Amino acid sequence: MKTAKIALALLALAFLASCSKGEQGQKGSAEIMKDYTKTLSTAPEKAEKASDEAEQRDSRMEDAIKELDK
């Protein structure tokens, strides 16, 4: 998985390096890569947090159903 991320990042870097900053106000390739790597590095934590929140929601829903069945 790490190899795929590295290969994808290198591919994206090569693609972005070939692009110029065309218009004013657009992000440069370095800034785009920084944002991209930040997104990749924080994705596992965000996914784990979302999973925990979904489990808590499911637990609350089960408790509410049990209360309704009483």
Side-chain angles (χ1 to χ4, degrees), residues 2-15:
K2 287 184 180 182
T3 306
K5 287 181 184 178
I6 292 171
L8 187 58
L10 290 175
L11 180 63
L13 180 60
F15 175 75

Side-chain angles (χ1 to χ4, degrees), residues 19-56:
C19 297
S20 63
K21 192 179 173 178
E23 298 178 21
Q24 218 174 12
Q26 289 183 339
K27 292 183 179 181
S29 59
E31 190 175 349
I32 291 170
M33 283 306 298
K34 183 179 177 182
D35 292 346
Y36 178 74
T37 54
K38 181 180 177 187
T39 301
L40 283 180
S41 64
T42 59
E45 292 87 12
K46 289 179 181 178
E48 187 174 332
K49 182 180 175 186
S51 172
D52 291 342
E53 290 173 354
E55 287 177 10
Q56 290 174 0

